[in-house]
Amino acid sequence: MAAGSAIQIPSRLPLLLTHESVLLPGSTMRTSVDSPRNMQLVRSRLLKGTSLRSTIIGVIPNTSDPTSDCDDLPNLHRIGTAALAVQVVGSNWPKPHYTLLVTGLCRFQILQLLKEKPYPVAEVQQLDRLEQFTNGHKSEEELGELSEQFYKYAVQLVEMLDMSVPAVAKLRRLLDNLPREALPDILTSIIRTTNQEKLQILDAVRLEERFKMTIPLLVRQIEGLKLLQKTRKSKQDDDKRVVAIRPNRRISHGSITEDEEEEEDHDDVVMLEKKIRTSSMSEQALKVCLKEIKRLKKMPQSMPEYALTRNYLELMVELPWNKSTKDRLEIRAARIVLDNDHYAMEKLKKRVLEYLAVRQLKNNLKGPILCFVGPPGVGKTSVGRSIAKTLGREFHRIALGGVCDQSDIRGHRRTYVGSMPGRIINGLKTVGVNNPVFLLDEVDKLAKSLQGDPAAALLEVLDPEQNHSFTDHYLNVAFDLSQVLFIATANTTATIPPALLDRMEVIQVPGYTQEEKIEIAHRHLIPKQLELHGLTPQQIQIPQVTTLGIITRYTREAGVRALDRKLGAICRAVAVKVAEGQHKEAKPDRAEVGEGEDCKEHVTEDAKPESISDTADLALPPEMPILIDFHALKDILGPPMYDMEVSERLSQPGVAIGLAWTPLGGEIMFVEASRMDGEGQLTLTGQLGDVMKESAHLAISWLRSNAKRYQLTNASGSFDLLDNTDIHLHFPAGAVTKDGPSAGVTIVTCLASLFSGRLVCSDVAMTGEITLRGLVLPVGGIKDKVLAAHRAGLKRIIIPQRNEKDLEEIAAHVRQELSFVLAGCLDEVLNAAFDGGFAVKARLEHLNSKL
Ligand code: ADP
């Protein structure tokens, strides 16, 4: 402070209203400016003004919430500090904002508010007489004893701090040189005091009062430091420095032990350093962190890099370098958990148990990474969760669908603005242990882009030989991932990059049969939905036939997700009914009035339960349990979405049903053919891939070469099928891309039907690749395809002979309901696809019936 110079502050001062901090004369404060009034003040007074006078402003503390002072000026504190604005730092991002560095000069009192907008200006009276400092020994004599006592404590306090810190040494010099009158203000702003205490000091206009109030604060600080020194000998240096540099910290009025705790809490950087030293991070990481914290200490807080470095260090401290949960692996218990959580999926559960058993015997994770591949909603994620449960580990799901930037996996380098760690490191931070179960969901949907290939980044994560030193770009030090149990899920292996697939053991999770779905619904989905909607089995009853109805008429999927949603919709509708009922029960009179004949119509065979479709008797409280029958289904879910359309569509020659495999499970697929006069052209429509187009050409070539044998003719009776004839083959659902060789047999059958004019049996579906010589080769996805045919109500399925082994995977009851034809060559396919076979003789029959 400019002691000795006779400073007279202007009699009119613009007022800066601060909310949190209190500026005392002789101290410097950095304050952030974001309220409209303060912004105006900075803009029109400080940024535009050129004279020294214009940099003097009045700082009024303790204003209530200055950010919301749009219209009315809040009540202002009567006394404030005239201050010199030393520095204005501004930024426009993310929103306009200034930081102001102000040095307190002297107290003033507001006499009269002259204007309120755009920023307040007041007529003020200076309270501290600055010119007295040079010659004013009068007050010192008067207050001799008080000021001596104060000075003694001040010296004691400063001596407890480390003189090697420049700020402390400067303070020591100031103590000797400054007039004593100035000391209470300066010391109060340096030691730890609350805003309230500072405000009291500011309000103490009389010097005597000020000395009296400051002494207890000094004593408290000295006691606190003494205790602290005992416990933190080694880190004294930093503490004192922070005490000296950051004067505005609050502490509570609690006991001295609390002070000590508070002290530790508030010295953020020191705390951070302590945390770093006590954390169990690797040696390499520790070295990097200590280097960073050293830089942090030297950095001004306003530097953008300060926040970056701090975030980085905080992440490093938070990471579970050495923290893990204890595995409690017990195979019998694991089996029970898996069985309880999931119905069916025996093959998957068996493989998972084997995997866990090996882990129990051999305490080592270097096994293959399991990858569950199957259609959506078949329980892949949920099995992953159960595995975590059986192991007693934390579970974390990382959705990889659509990830196209390798930084998503491996983090951004810290040089980028907004850089952050990758999903793996983030996941570890979230779970807080280093041995969670990570479920890498949808690995087949990773994409590539200019930002690199995330699949390649995953290679390092998943390779047990490499992942003990996985280096995230953001961390820039190695983190050991070898304790993490990775499980991947995908809908198809086709789009998983081969190198990634190579690291994983694929376990196929096929779709469910209708019977399995009914069981899953009744054992798992319905109880779960009831609980979610606050219903009990006494309130709603969903019979198995209804569930079957939902499965066949409202869903067509391999998994159970849509089924789950439909059940949710039913529960919601019932919840409304139940809630309404409760409401009406409270008014029984109305309920009786509504009882009329109408109600009888809706009573089901079981006299008690009531259908939700009853709309006529809304006035009645519903009788419990509410039975969900087909009427109710229609009311809630609308008309059925899928009908059995198969037989209708096979009412003309030239249509056959094939079986296709898609990432969403198996599907039945119609193939349609028509012929017309032309020049032997083949037209293919329906978004076909190259392989499928080739199959179509193969089929035509084979039929042409065998036309005589089967008595197939074109419209003009010629055995040259393409003579003056064009053929059009169409695969409906034209928006969906189709490819693969397995439609070969279906195309042959469809064309054979077209050229022979005979109908393909309406309950037959088929799949198989063909060769030019008429052999039928095996194809994949048999189980899914068979289930799709079963769902669609087909009875006979033609599959390649060499796929016979795949039938074993299919549940016995499904096999019983279907008849399988194992075909080795196309003759056998055609024989099975047409009623009465497709031998040479058939032509005569056909001719008889057709002509
Ligand atoms: P996915 O990951 O294969 O797409 P989810 O694991 O998310 O499917 O499963 C969807 C829902 O179906 C979950 O609520 C799950 O509990 C349930 N579910 C799927 N299969 C079964 C099963 N076999 N037994 C019990 N619930 C199942």
Side-chain angles (χ1 to χ4, degrees), residues 422-476:
R423 291 184 187 216
I424 306 283
I425 293 295
N426 243 339
L428 285 166
K429 185 184 131 194
T430 312
V431 293
V433 284
N434 68 2
N435 63 343
V437 173
F438 268 171
L439 187 92
L440 305 172
D441 221 355
E442 322 275 14
V443 273
D444 55 330
K445 297 193 185 55
L446 284 172
K448 264 189 206 174
S449 73
L450 287 178
Q451 278 78 33
D453 180 2
L458 263 191
L459 289 181
E460 186 188 348
V461 174
L462 296 184
D463 189 344
E465 299 300 324
Q466 291 180 36
N467 70 7
H468 58 267
S469 61
F470 169 70
T471 307
D472 184 280
H473 285 155
Y474 182 80
L475 289 196
N476 214 9

Side-chain angles (χ1 to χ4, degrees), residues 286-389:
L286 184 68
K287 231 161 100 186
V288 173
C289 283
L290 290 179
K291 208 167 116 197
E292 289 292 326
I293 201 135
K294 224 165 145 188
R295 284 184 54 220
L296 192 69
K297 281 182 190 165
K298 288 185 199 149
M299 234 183 258
Q301 278 192 24
S302 51
M303 238 170 113
E305 213 191 326
Y306 184 89
L308 280 185
T309 313
R310 226 190 123 116
N311 286 349
Y312 171 74
L313 289 173
E314 268 163 12
L315 173 74
M316 291 292 269
V317 171
E318 270 177 55
L319 280 183
W321 295 92
N322 232 341
K323 207 168 138 214
S324 51
T325 47
K326 202 166 172 315
D327 276 1
R328 48 176 163 82
L329 183 51
E330 219 262 285
I331 285 299
R332 250 172 305 162
R335 190 190 295 271
I336 293 171
V337 170
L338 278 177
D339 280 342
N340 281 350
D341 288 356
H342 300 96
Y343 178 77
M345 31 170 55
E346 298 309 331
K347 197 172 146 201
L348 174 69
K349 285 197 256 186
K350 187 165 154 258
R351 179 64 190 93
V352 167
L353 282 176
E354 284 167 13
Y355 182 77
L356 295 177
V358 174
R359 306 227 359 208
Q360 187 181 346
L361 299 179
K362 186 165 164 267
N363 240 341
N364 180 349
L365 270 176
K366 283 192 184 165
I369 284 156
L370 296 184
C371 177
F372 303 147
V373 178
V378 289
K380 301 181 295 293
T381 314
S382 133
V383 168
R385 201 168 268 129
S386 290
I387 293 178
K389 196 157 111 190

Side-chain angles (χ1 to χ4, degrees), residues 82-98:
L84 198 65
V86 182
Q87 186 190 45
V88 184
V89 181
S91 131
N92 266 331
W93 194 86
K95 53 179 188 172
H97 171 262
Y98 297 104

Side-chain angles (χ1 to χ4, degrees), residues 57 91-93 119 353 373 391 417 454 501 545 557 594 599 615 661 665 677 754 760 776 806 810 837:
I57 56 174
S91 131
N92 266 331
W93 194 86
Y119 54 86
L353 282 176
V373 178
L391 288 170
V417 176
L501 195 58
V545 277
E557 55 167 0
C599 315
T615 44
W661 182 91
D677 289 347
L754 180 73
V760 179
V776 177
D806 296 311
I810 295 163

